[in-house]
Amino acid sequence: MAKDSKLILDPLTDNNPITIQVLGICSALAITAELEASIVMSISVLFVMGVGNVVISLMRNIIPSKIRIIVQLIVVATLVIIVDQVLKAYAYELSKTLGAFVGLIITNCIIMGRFEAFALGNGPWRSFLDGIGNALGYAVILIIVGFFRELLGSGTLLGIQILGDPVAKTGLYAFGYENNGFMLLSPMALIVVGIIIWIQRSRNRALIED
Amino acid sequence: MEKRTDKNSYTVIFAIGMVLVVGAILAYLASTFRPMIAENERLEKQQNILYAMGVNNNEPGSATFVSTQDAPKLFQQYIKEQLVIEDGEVKTDDQAYLIDVKKEQTRAKAGKSRRLPLFVGEKDGKKFYIAPIRGKGLWDAIWGYIAMDENMVVQGVYFDHKGETPGLGANIKQRYFMDDFSGEHLLTDSGSFKGITVSKTNADPTNKDKEDYEVDAIAGATITGDGISAMIKKDLRLYVPYFKNLKNRG
Protein backbone atom coordinates (compact mmCIF):
# COMPACT_ATOMS: atom_id res chain seq x y z
CA MET A 1 0.00 0.00 0.00
CA ALA A 2 2.81 2.38 0.91
CA LYS A 3 4.37 1.50 -2.42
CA ASP A 4 1.15 2.38 -4.21
CA SER A 5 0.88 5.77 -2.55
CA LYS A 6 4.47 6.48 -3.63
CA LEU A 7 3.28 6.13 -7.24
CA ILE A 8 0.99 9.11 -6.72
CA LEU A 9 3.15 11.20 -4.37
CA ASP A 10 6.61 10.84 -5.91
CA PRO A 11 5.82 12.57 -9.20
CA LEU A 12 4.38 15.50 -7.27
CA THR A 13 7.71 16.35 -5.70
CA ASP A 14 10.98 14.45 -5.93
CA ASN A 15 10.31 12.72 -9.21
CA ASN A 16 8.32 15.43 -10.92
CA PRO A 17 8.02 14.77 -14.68
CA ILE A 18 8.73 18.41 -15.58
CA THR A 19 11.26 19.61 -13.04
CA ILE A 20 13.19 16.40 -12.46
CA GLN A 21 12.71 14.29 -15.59
CA VAL A 22 12.51 17.43 -17.77
CA LEU A 23 9.70 16.01 -19.90
CA GLY A 24 6.60 17.74 -21.27
CA ILE A 25 8.41 21.07 -21.32
CA CYS A 26 7.13 22.04 -24.78
CA SER A 27 3.46 21.89 -23.86
CA ALA A 28 4.20 23.60 -20.55
CA LEU A 29 5.76 26.50 -22.45
CA ALA A 30 3.08 26.73 -25.09
CA ILE A 31 -0.13 27.02 -23.15
CA THR A 32 0.66 28.46 -19.73
CA ALA A 33 0.02 32.11 -20.60
CA GLU A 34 -3.41 31.61 -19.06
CA LEU A 35 -4.34 29.82 -15.86
CA GLU A 36 -7.53 28.45 -17.41
CA ALA A 37 -5.59 26.91 -20.29
CA SER A 38 -3.20 25.30 -17.81
CA ILE A 39 -6.13 23.74 -15.95
CA VAL A 40 -7.84 22.46 -19.14
CA MET A 41 -4.57 20.94 -20.36
CA SER A 42 -3.97 19.35 -16.94
CA ILE A 43 -7.40 17.71 -16.88
CA SER A 44 -6.98 16.44 -20.45
CA VAL A 45 -3.58 14.93 -19.68
CA LEU A 46 -4.93 13.42 -16.45
CA PHE A 47 -7.59 11.56 -18.41
CA VAL A 48 -5.41 10.47 -21.33
CA MET A 49 -2.54 9.36 -19.12
CA GLY A 50 -4.74 7.50 -16.60
CA VAL A 51 -6.70 5.60 -19.24
CA GLY A 52 -3.75 5.23 -21.63
CA ASN A 53 -1.53 3.70 -18.98
CA VAL A 54 -4.24 1.12 -18.17
CA VAL A 55 -4.76 0.25 -21.85
CA ILE A 56 -1.02 -0.17 -22.47
CA SER A 57 -0.66 -2.18 -19.27
CA LEU A 58 -3.46 -4.55 -20.34
CA MET A 59 -1.84 -4.97 -23.73
CA ARG A 60 1.72 -5.23 -22.42
CA ASN A 61 2.13 -8.97 -23.01
CA ILE A 62 0.86 -8.95 -26.57
CA ILE A 63 2.52 -5.79 -27.96
CA PRO A 64 5.38 -6.72 -30.33
CA SER A 65 8.49 -4.96 -29.04
CA LYS A 66 9.52 -3.84 -32.53
CA ILE A 67 6.48 -1.61 -32.99
CA ARG A 68 5.69 -0.75 -29.38
CA ILE A 69 6.28 2.99 -29.80
CA ILE A 70 3.88 3.11 -32.74
CA VAL A 71 1.32 1.14 -30.73
CA GLN A 72 1.67 3.59 -27.83
CA LEU A 73 1.26 6.52 -30.18
CA ILE A 74 -1.89 4.99 -31.67
CA VAL A 75 -3.36 4.46 -28.19
CA VAL A 76 -2.76 8.11 -27.22
CA ALA A 77 -4.04 9.45 -30.53
CA THR A 78 -7.16 7.27 -30.38
CA LEU A 79 -7.98 8.33 -26.82
CA VAL A 80 -7.53 11.99 -27.68
CA ILE A 81 -9.72 11.71 -30.79
CA ILE A 82 -12.43 9.89 -28.82
CA VAL A 83 -12.42 12.60 -26.12
CA ASP A 84 -12.50 15.32 -28.78
CA GLN A 85 -15.41 13.72 -30.67
CA VAL A 86 -17.47 13.08 -27.53
CA LEU A 87 -16.95 16.68 -26.38
CA LYS A 88 -17.82 18.02 -29.84
CA ALA A 89 -21.11 16.15 -29.72
CA TYR A 90 -22.10 16.71 -26.09
CA ALA A 91 -20.10 19.70 -24.81
CA TYR A 92 -19.39 21.79 -27.89
CA GLU A 93 -18.11 24.89 -26.05
CA LEU A 94 -15.65 22.83 -24.03
CA SER A 95 -14.43 21.03 -27.15
CA LYS A 96 -13.51 24.37 -28.68
CA THR A 97 -11.43 25.24 -25.64
CA LEU A 98 -9.69 21.90 -25.96
CA GLY A 99 -9.10 22.36 -29.69
CA ALA A 100 -5.72 24.04 -29.29
CA PHE A 101 -4.46 21.32 -26.97
CA VAL A 102 -5.30 18.16 -28.91
CA GLY A 103 -2.04 18.16 -30.86
CA LEU A 104 -0.06 18.96 -27.74
CA ILE A 105 -1.58 16.08 -25.80
CA ILE A 106 -0.62 13.58 -28.51
CA THR A 107 2.97 14.81 -28.61
CA ASN A 108 3.35 15.15 -24.85
CA CYS A 109 6.50 13.21 -24.05
CA ILE A 110 5.42 12.50 -20.46
CA ILE A 111 2.61 10.29 -21.74
CA MET A 112 4.86 8.27 -24.04
CA GLY A 113 7.52 8.24 -21.34
CA ARG A 114 5.21 6.69 -18.74
CA PHE A 115 3.87 4.11 -21.22
CA GLU A 116 7.39 3.09 -22.05
CA ALA A 117 8.90 3.27 -18.55
CA PHE A 118 6.03 1.98 -16.43
CA ALA A 119 2.91 0.64 -18.12
CA LEU A 120 4.82 -1.85 -20.28
CA GLY A 121 6.15 -3.54 -17.15
CA ASN A 122 3.40 -3.23 -14.54
CA GLY A 123 -0.18 -4.25 -13.87
CA PRO A 124 -3.21 -2.09 -14.73
CA TRP A 125 -3.94 -0.76 -11.21
CA ARG A 126 -0.37 0.34 -10.52
CA SER A 127 -0.12 1.75 -14.04
CA PHE A 128 -3.29 3.73 -13.46
CA LEU A 129 -1.87 5.19 -10.24
CA ASP A 130 1.40 5.99 -11.98
CA GLY A 131 -0.46 7.76 -14.79
CA ILE A 132 -2.56 9.78 -12.37
CA GLY A 133 0.47 10.63 -10.23
CA ASN A 134 2.55 11.85 -13.14
CA ALA A 135 -0.34 13.80 -14.62
CA LEU A 136 -0.84 15.49 -11.25
CA GLY A 137 2.87 16.27 -11.03
CA TYR A 138 2.63 17.82 -14.50
CA ALA A 139 -0.53 19.72 -13.48
CA VAL A 140 1.08 21.23 -10.37
CA ILE A 141 3.90 22.80 -12.39
CA LEU A 142 1.56 23.90 -15.20
CA ILE A 143 -0.77 25.61 -12.74
CA ILE A 144 2.06 27.36 -10.88
CA VAL A 145 3.54 28.63 -14.17
CA GLY A 146 0.10 29.60 -15.50
CA PHE A 147 -0.67 31.46 -12.28
CA PHE A 148 2.43 33.64 -12.41
CA ARG A 149 2.37 34.21 -16.16
CA GLU A 150 -1.25 35.32 -16.22
CA LEU A 151 -0.98 37.41 -13.06
CA LEU A 152 2.21 39.25 -14.03
CA GLY A 153 1.59 39.25 -17.80
CA SER A 154 -2.05 40.25 -18.00
CA GLY A 155 -2.89 41.29 -14.43
CA THR A 156 -5.72 38.75 -14.40
CA LEU A 157 -6.44 35.27 -13.01
CA LEU A 158 -8.91 33.02 -14.84
CA GLY A 159 -9.76 36.14 -16.86
CA ILE A 160 -10.76 38.22 -13.82
CA GLN A 161 -8.94 41.52 -13.31
CA ILE A 162 -6.89 41.17 -10.12
CA LEU A 163 -4.43 44.04 -10.19
CA GLY A 164 -6.86 46.68 -11.47
CA ASP A 165 -7.66 48.02 -14.93
CA PRO A 166 -4.53 48.70 -17.01
CA VAL A 167 -6.29 51.08 -19.43
CA ALA A 168 -8.26 53.11 -16.89
CA LYS A 169 -5.23 53.00 -14.53
CA THR A 170 -6.95 51.78 -11.40
CA GLY A 171 -5.68 49.52 -8.59
CA LEU A 172 -1.95 48.74 -8.79
CA TYR A 173 -1.71 50.46 -12.18
CA ALA A 174 -2.50 53.79 -10.51
CA PHE A 175 0.93 53.52 -8.84
CA GLY A 176 2.72 53.12 -12.15
CA TYR A 177 2.71 49.31 -12.36
CA GLU A 178 2.68 47.91 -15.89
CA ASN A 179 1.86 44.41 -17.11
CA ASN A 180 5.01 42.54 -18.02
CA GLY A 181 4.47 41.55 -21.65
CA PHE A 182 7.50 39.26 -21.48
CA MET A 183 5.56 36.94 -19.19
CA LEU A 184 3.17 36.17 -22.04
CA LEU A 185 5.97 34.89 -24.26
CA SER A 186 7.22 31.30 -24.10
CA PRO A 187 10.79 32.05 -22.98
CA MET A 188 9.48 33.43 -19.70
CA ALA A 189 7.68 30.12 -19.07
CA LEU A 190 11.06 28.44 -19.36
CA ILE A 191 12.50 30.91 -16.87
CA VAL A 192 9.62 30.34 -14.42
CA VAL A 193 10.12 26.56 -14.74
CA GLY A 194 13.84 27.19 -14.17
CA ILE A 195 13.09 29.12 -10.98
CA ILE A 196 10.87 26.28 -9.73
CA ILE A 197 13.67 23.78 -10.45
CA TRP A 198 16.13 26.05 -8.63
CA ILE A 199 13.91 26.36 -5.55
CA GLN A 200 13.20 22.62 -5.53
CA ARG A 201 16.87 21.63 -5.74
CA SER A 202 18.05 24.13 -3.19
CA ARG A 203 15.48 22.74 -0.74
CA ASN A 204 16.41 19.12 -1.45
CA ARG A 205 20.12 18.84 -2.15
CA ALA A 206 19.82 15.11 -2.88
CA LEU A 207 18.30 16.05 -6.24
CA ILE A 208 21.43 17.85 -7.42
CA GLU A 209 23.50 15.74 -9.82
CA ASP A 210 27.25 16.03 -9.82
CA MET B 1 14.56 -18.63 -27.29
CA GLU B 2 12.82 -15.96 -29.29
CA LYS B 3 9.62 -14.71 -27.73
CA ARG B 4 6.43 -15.25 -29.67
CA THR B 5 5.81 -11.52 -29.91
CA ASP B 6 9.20 -10.91 -31.55
CA LYS B 7 8.35 -12.81 -34.73
CA ASN B 8 7.93 -10.77 -37.88
CA SER B 9 4.71 -12.53 -38.79
CA TYR B 10 3.24 -11.79 -35.36
CA THR B 11 4.26 -8.12 -35.64
CA VAL B 12 2.59 -7.77 -39.04
CA ILE B 13 -0.60 -9.49 -37.91
CA PHE B 14 -0.72 -7.41 -34.74
CA ALA B 15 -0.25 -4.18 -36.68
CA ILE B 16 -3.01 -5.05 -39.14
CA GLY B 17 -5.33 -6.10 -36.31
CA MET B 18 -4.70 -2.94 -34.36
CA VAL B 19 -5.32 -0.70 -37.37
CA LEU B 20 -8.59 -2.51 -38.08
CA VAL B 21 -9.82 -2.29 -34.49
CA VAL B 22 -8.85 1.36 -34.02
CA GLY B 23 -10.18 2.26 -37.46
CA ALA B 24 -13.49 0.56 -36.74
CA ILE B 25 -13.88 2.29 -33.36
CA LEU B 26 -13.11 5.74 -34.79
CA ALA B 27 -15.28 5.24 -37.86
CA TYR B 28 -18.18 4.12 -35.68
CA LEU B 29 -17.79 7.11 -33.35
CA ALA B 30 -17.45 9.56 -36.23
CA SER B 31 -20.60 8.31 -37.94
CA THR B 32 -22.56 8.24 -34.67
CA PHE B 33 -21.61 11.76 -33.66
CA ARG B 34 -21.66 13.40 -37.10
CA PRO B 35 -25.31 14.58 -37.01
CA MET B 36 -24.89 15.99 -33.50
CA ILE B 37 -21.65 17.78 -34.38
CA ALA B 38 -23.20 19.21 -37.58
CA GLU B 39 -26.16 20.49 -35.59
CA ASN B 40 -23.83 22.10 -33.03
CA GLU B 41 -21.90 23.79 -35.82
CA ARG B 42 -25.13 25.04 -37.43
CA LEU B 43 -26.34 26.57 -34.16
CA GLU B 44 -22.92 28.07 -33.55
CA LYS B 45 -23.06 29.89 -36.90
CA GLN B 46 -26.42 31.38 -35.93
CA GLN B 47 -25.07 32.38 -32.53
CA ASN B 48 -21.98 33.98 -34.11
CA ILE B 49 -24.03 36.02 -36.58
CA LEU B 50 -26.37 37.18 -33.82
CA TYR B 51 -23.40 38.03 -31.61
CA ALA B 52 -21.85 40.24 -34.29
CA MET B 53 -25.04 42.29 -34.63
CA GLY B 54 -25.29 42.69 -30.86
CA VAL B 55 -27.88 40.03 -30.00
CA ASN B 56 -26.14 38.16 -27.18
CA ASN B 57 -26.11 37.49 -23.46
CA ASN B 58 -23.03 39.55 -22.71
CA GLU B 59 -22.13 40.53 -19.21
CA PRO B 60 -19.40 43.17 -18.97
CA GLY B 61 -16.06 41.57 -19.72
CA SER B 62 -17.30 38.32 -21.24
CA ALA B 63 -18.34 37.32 -24.74
CA THR B 64 -21.47 35.21 -24.31
CA PHE B 65 -23.83 33.98 -27.02
CA VAL B 66 -27.56 33.57 -26.83
CA SER B 67 -28.35 30.02 -25.69
CA THR B 68 -28.47 27.22 -28.26
CA GLN B 69 -32.18 26.71 -27.52
CA ASP B 70 -33.02 30.33 -28.34
CA ALA B 71 -30.63 30.70 -31.29
CA PRO B 72 -32.95 29.43 -34.10
CA LYS B 73 -35.91 31.52 -32.88
CA LEU B 74 -33.83 34.70 -32.44
CA PHE B 75 -32.09 34.11 -35.76
CA GLN B 76 -35.44 34.08 -37.50
CA GLN B 77 -36.57 37.12 -35.56
CA TYR B 78 -33.55 39.34 -36.17
CA ILE B 79 -32.18 38.19 -39.52
CA LYS B 80 -34.62 39.58 -42.05
CA GLU B 81 -32.85 38.49 -45.21
CA GLN B 82 -30.11 36.09 -46.21
CA LEU B 83 -28.41 37.03 -49.46
CA VAL B 84 -25.92 35.34 -51.72
CA ILE B 85 -23.88 37.56 -54.03
CA GLU B 86 -22.44 35.74 -57.04
CA ASP B 87 -20.89 37.47 -60.04
CA GLY B 88 -22.56 40.75 -59.05
CA GLU B 89 -25.99 39.14 -58.86
CA VAL B 90 -27.81 39.19 -55.56
CA LYS B 91 -30.14 36.34 -54.68
CA THR B 92 -31.95 35.44 -51.49
CA ASP B 93 -31.24 32.07 -49.93
CA ASP B 94 -32.66 30.84 -46.62
CA GLN B 95 -29.68 28.60 -46.08
CA ALA B 96 -27.01 31.20 -46.88
CA TYR B 97 -25.58 30.93 -43.39
CA LEU B 98 -24.59 27.35 -44.13
CA ILE B 99 -22.33 28.37 -47.03
CA ASP B 100 -18.81 27.16 -46.30
CA VAL B 101 -16.54 30.20 -46.73
CA LYS B 102 -13.46 27.99 -46.94
CA LYS B 103 -14.89 26.06 -49.89
CA GLU B 104 -15.89 29.30 -51.62
CA GLN B 105 -12.36 30.64 -51.21
CA THR B 106 -10.96 27.48 -52.76
CA ARG B 107 -13.42 27.79 -55.65
CA ALA B 108 -12.32 31.40 -56.21
CA LYS B 109 -8.68 30.30 -56.25
CA ALA B 110 -9.51 27.74 -58.91
CA GLY B 111 -10.90 30.55 -61.05
CA LYS B 112 -14.56 29.74 -60.42
CA SER B 113 -17.10 32.26 -59.15
CA ARG B 114 -17.32 32.72 -55.41
CA ARG B 115 -20.61 32.87 -53.55
CA LEU B 116 -20.61 35.62 -50.94
CA PRO B 117 -23.17 35.26 -48.16
CA LEU B 118 -24.54 38.44 -46.57
CA PHE B 119 -27.10 38.62 -43.79
CA VAL B 120 -29.39 41.59 -43.36
CA GLY B 121 -30.45 41.97 -39.76
CA GLU B 122 -32.68 44.48 -38.07
CA LYS B 123 -32.57 45.45 -34.43
CA ASP B 124 -34.28 48.41 -32.76
CA GLY B 125 -35.13 49.85 -36.17
CA LYS B 126 -31.50 49.78 -37.32
CA LYS B 127 -30.23 47.72 -40.23
CA PHE B 128 -27.13 45.55 -39.98
CA TYR B 129 -25.25 43.90 -42.84
CA ILE B 130 -23.27 40.92 -41.58
CA ALA B 131 -20.56 39.27 -43.66
CA PRO B 132 -18.46 36.21 -42.85
CA ILE B 133 -14.68 36.37 -43.27
CA ARG B 134 -11.99 33.71 -43.08
CA GLY B 135 -8.21 33.73 -43.05
CA LYS B 136 -5.04 32.34 -41.56
CA GLY B 137 -3.70 32.87 -38.04
CA LEU B 138 -0.39 31.66 -36.70
CA TRP B 139 -1.21 27.96 -36.35
CA ASP B 140 -4.48 27.41 -38.15
CA ALA B 141 -7.60 29.00 -39.56
CA ILE B 142 -9.21 32.10 -38.08
CA TRP B 143 -12.64 33.37 -39.05
CA GLY B 144 -15.32 35.77 -38.02
CA TYR B 145 -18.42 37.79 -38.79
CA ILE B 146 -18.45 41.55 -39.26
CA ALA B 147 -21.67 43.51 -38.81
CA MET B 148 -21.73 46.81 -40.72
CA ASP B 149 -24.17 49.61 -41.44
CA GLU B 150 -24.97 50.73 -45.00
CA ASN B 151 -21.84 52.98 -45.00
CA MET B 152 -19.61 50.04 -44.13
CA VAL B 153 -18.96 51.31 -40.64
CA VAL B 154 -18.40 48.35 -38.32
CA GLN B 155 -21.19 47.82 -35.79
CA GLY B 156 -19.90 44.67 -34.16
CA VAL B 157 -17.67 41.68 -34.82
CA TYR B 158 -17.15 38.13 -33.76
CA PHE B 159 -13.80 36.38 -34.22
CA ASP B 160 -12.90 32.77 -33.62
CA HIS B 161 -9.95 30.50 -34.26
CA LYS B 162 -9.08 26.84 -34.50
CA GLY B 163 -5.79 26.59 -32.68
CA GLU B 164 -4.24 29.94 -31.79
CA THR B 165 -2.04 30.06 -28.68
CA PRO B 166 -4.08 30.34 -25.46
CA GLY B 167 -3.41 33.66 -23.75
CA LEU B 168 -1.96 35.19 -26.93
CA GLY B 169 -3.55 34.75 -30.36
CA ALA B 170 -6.56 33.02 -28.82
CA ASN B 171 -7.46 36.38 -27.27
CA ILE B 172 -8.95 37.53 -30.58
CA LYS B 173 -12.23 36.13 -29.26
CA GLN B 174 -11.99 38.20 -26.09
CA ARG B 175 -14.36 41.10 -25.79
CA TYR B 176 -11.73 43.76 -25.13
CA PHE B 177 -10.26 43.05 -28.56
CA MET B 178 -13.53 42.58 -30.47
CA ASP B 179 -15.21 45.65 -28.95
CA ASP B 180 -12.48 47.92 -30.35
CA PHE B 181 -13.73 47.24 -33.88
CA SER B 182 -17.17 48.75 -33.31
CA GLY B 183 -17.37 52.14 -34.99
CA GLU B 184 -14.29 51.64 -37.17
CA HIS B 185 -14.66 52.75 -40.78
CA LEU B 186 -13.82 50.46 -43.68
CA LEU B 187 -14.18 53.04 -46.46
CA THR B 188 -12.25 56.30 -46.85
CA ASP B 189 -14.07 59.61 -47.25
CA SER B 190 -13.75 59.29 -51.00
CA GLY B 191 -15.45 55.90 -50.83
CA SER B 192 -12.51 53.64 -51.59
CA PHE B 193 -11.97 50.54 -49.47
CA LYS B 194 -9.25 50.73 -46.83
CA GLY B 195 -10.10 48.05 -44.28
CA ILE B 196 -8.88 47.88 -40.70
CA THR B 197 -5.35 47.15 -39.56
CA VAL B 198 -4.57 45.50 -36.24
CA SER B 199 -1.73 47.80 -35.37
CA LYS B 200 1.03 47.57 -32.79
CA THR B 201 1.89 51.20 -33.17
CA ASN B 202 -1.61 52.44 -32.57
CA ALA B 203 -0.96 54.92 -29.79
CA ASP B 204 -4.64 54.87 -28.96
CA PRO B 205 -5.23 51.93 -26.60
CA THR B 206 -8.69 53.14 -25.62
CA ASN B 207 -9.45 53.32 -29.35
CA LYS B 208 -11.31 56.60 -29.28
CA ASP B 209 -10.26 57.57 -32.80
CA LYS B 210 -12.53 55.45 -34.95
CA GLU B 211 -11.48 56.92 -38.30
CA ASP B 212 -7.82 55.93 -38.17
CA TYR B 213 -8.58 52.49 -39.69
CA GLU B 214 -6.58 50.90 -36.88
CA VAL B 215 -7.27 48.94 -33.71
CA ASP B 216 -4.86 48.13 -30.90
CA ALA B 217 -3.04 44.81 -31.28
CA ILE B 218 -2.71 42.03 -28.68
CA ALA B 219 0.76 41.80 -27.15
CA GLY B 220 2.59 38.68 -28.31
CA ALA B 221 0.07 37.86 -31.05
CA THR B 222 1.55 39.65 -34.05
CA ILE B 223 0.87 37.00 -36.67
CA THR B 224 -2.71 36.35 -35.52
CA GLY B 225 -3.32 40.11 -35.58
CA ASP B 226 -1.87 40.38 -39.08
CA GLY B 227 -4.17 37.51 -40.07
CA ILE B 228 -7.18 39.46 -38.84
CA SER B 229 -6.14 42.59 -40.80
CA ALA B 230 -5.55 40.47 -43.91
CA MET B 231 -8.86 38.63 -43.81
CA ILE B 232 -10.81 41.85 -43.23
CA LYS B 233 -9.10 43.52 -46.17
CA LYS B 234 -9.34 40.55 -48.51
CA ASP B 235 -12.87 39.33 -47.83
CA LEU B 236 -14.77 42.53 -47.07
CA ARG B 237 -13.40 44.24 -50.18
CA LEU B 238 -15.58 41.85 -52.19
CA TYR B 239 -18.72 43.34 -50.67
CA VAL B 240 -17.93 46.95 -51.67
CA PRO B 241 -19.87 46.82 -54.99
CA TYR B 242 -22.96 45.64 -53.11
CA PHE B 243 -22.80 48.56 -50.67
CA LYS B 244 -22.14 51.04 -53.53
CA ASN B 245 -25.26 49.74 -55.29
CA LEU B 246 -27.19 50.01 -52.07
CA LYS B 247 -26.26 53.68 -51.79
CA ASN B 248 -27.10 54.43 -55.41
CA ARG B 249 -30.49 52.84 -54.97
CA GLY B 250 -31.21 54.36 -51.61
Side-chain angles (χ1 to χ4, degrees), chain B residues 81 120-123 125-129 148-150 155:
Chain B
E81 244 182 320
V120 185
E122 210 175 303
K123 197 181 112 187
K126 199 174 150 193
K127 264 195 169 178
F128 292 85
Y129 298 86
M148 298 162 277
D149 67 6
E150 60 282 356
Q155 303 298 311

Side-chain angles (χ1 to χ4, degrees), chain B residues 106-127:
Chain B
T106 324
R107 273 168 61 95
K109 260 188 209 157
K112 291 178 190 158
S113 66
R114 175 174 168 179
R115 291 188 299 162
L116 298 166
L118 184 70
F119 314 100
V120 185
E122 210 175 303
K123 197 181 112 187
D124 307 329
K126 199 174 150 193
K127 264 195 169 178

Side-chain angles (χ1 to χ4, degrees), chain B residues 2-207:
Chain B
E2 200 183 27
K3 274 202 296 186
R4 179 178 60 96
T5 55
D6 283 343
K7 278 191 191 152
N8 281 343
S9 56
Y10 178 83
T11 306
V12 171
I13 291 166
F14 185 91
I16 294 170
M18 179 129 190
V19 168
L20 288 177
V21 171
V22 169
I25 293 173
L26 293 182
Y28 172 76
L29 280 180
S31 61
T32 315
F33 291 142
R34 193 179 299 138
M36 276 186 264
I37 295 173
E39 177 68 6
N40 284 336
E41 285 170 352
R42 189 178 74 80
L43 291 173
E44 189 197 9
K45 282 187 176 174
Q46 295 189 339
Q47 288 173 316
N48 288 176
I49 294 168
L50 289 171
Y51 182 95
M53 68 175 281
V55 182
N56 48 47
N57 289 340
N58 271 346
E59 295 282 324
S62 74
T64 319
F65 299 134
V66 293
S67 70
T68 41
Q69 287 89 359
D70 296 341
K73 195 181 73 201
L74 292 170
F75 191 75
Q76 226 173 11
Q77 184 187 333
Y78 284 103
I79 301 297
K80 301 293 177 198
E81 244 182 320
Q82 295 191 53
L83 306 173
V84 179
I85 308 167
E86 191 174 4
D87 292 332
E89 263 182 67
V90 184
K91 290 179 204 150
T92 52
D93 180 351
D94 286 349
Q95 303 281 307
Y97 73 102
L98 295 176
I99 288 177
D100 187 338
V101 181
K102 186 183 172 190
K103 271 190 195 152
E104 296 304 319
Q105 285 175 340
T106 324
R107 273 168 61 95
K109 260 188 209 157
K112 291 178 190 158
S113 66
R114 175 174 168 179
R115 291 188 299 162
L116 298 166
L118 184 70
F119 314 100
V120 185
E122 210 175 303
K123 197 181 112 187
D124 307 329
K126 199 174 150 193
K127 264 195 169 178
F128 292 85
Y129 298 86
I130 306 137
I133 52 176
R134 189 181 170 93
K136 278 187 221 137
L138 171 60
W139 303 113
D140 214 317
I142 51 176
W143 60 90
Y145 291 90
I146 309 270
M148 298 162 277
D149 67 6
E150 60 282 356
N151 297 318
M152 287 192 96
V153 175
V154 177
Q155 303 298 311
V157 299
Y158 181 74
F159 294 126
D160 209 341
H161 64 95
K162 195 169 171 200
E164 297 308 291
T165 320
L168 301 170
N171 284 353
I172 56 167
K173 59 187 288 192
Q174 294 288 333
R175 249 191 92 178
Y176 72 85
F177 180 70
M178 295 195 292
D179 284 359
D180 277 0
F181 285 80
S182 300
E184 286 289 339
H185 292 232
L186 288 159
L187 300 176
T188 59
D189 293 337
S190 60
S192 62
F193 182 82
K194 192 163 179 190
I196 302 169
T197 306
V198 177
S199 170
K200 282 186 131 178
T201 51
N202 184 18
D204 181 20
T206 45
N207 201 34

Side-chain angles (χ1 to χ4, degrees), chain A residues 4-73:
Chain A
D4 282 355
S5 65
K6 254 175 96 84
L7 290 174
I8 296 273
L9 296 176
D10 263 8
L12 291 178
T13 53
D14 292 347
N15 196 17
N16 190 282
I18 295 184
T19 61
I20 306 297
Q21 300 169 28
V22 200
L23 291 174
I25 293 280
C26 355
S27 62
L29 302 191
I31 50 94
T32 47
E34 268 179 349
L35 185 55
E36 190 191 350
S38 306
I39 295 171
V40 173
M41 182 68 175
S42 299
I43 295 171
S44 322
V45 168
L46 193 73
F47 173 81
V48 173
M49 197 126 88
V51 178
N53 251 11
V54 172
V55 173
I56 291 291
S57 171
L58 289 171
M59 290 167 67
R60 70 186 185 282
N61 295 325
I62 57 166
I63 297 176
S65 57
K66 284 175 200 155
I67 56 164
R68 65 184 195 285
I69 301 283
I70 299 171
V71 173
Q72 290 162 13
L73 204 58

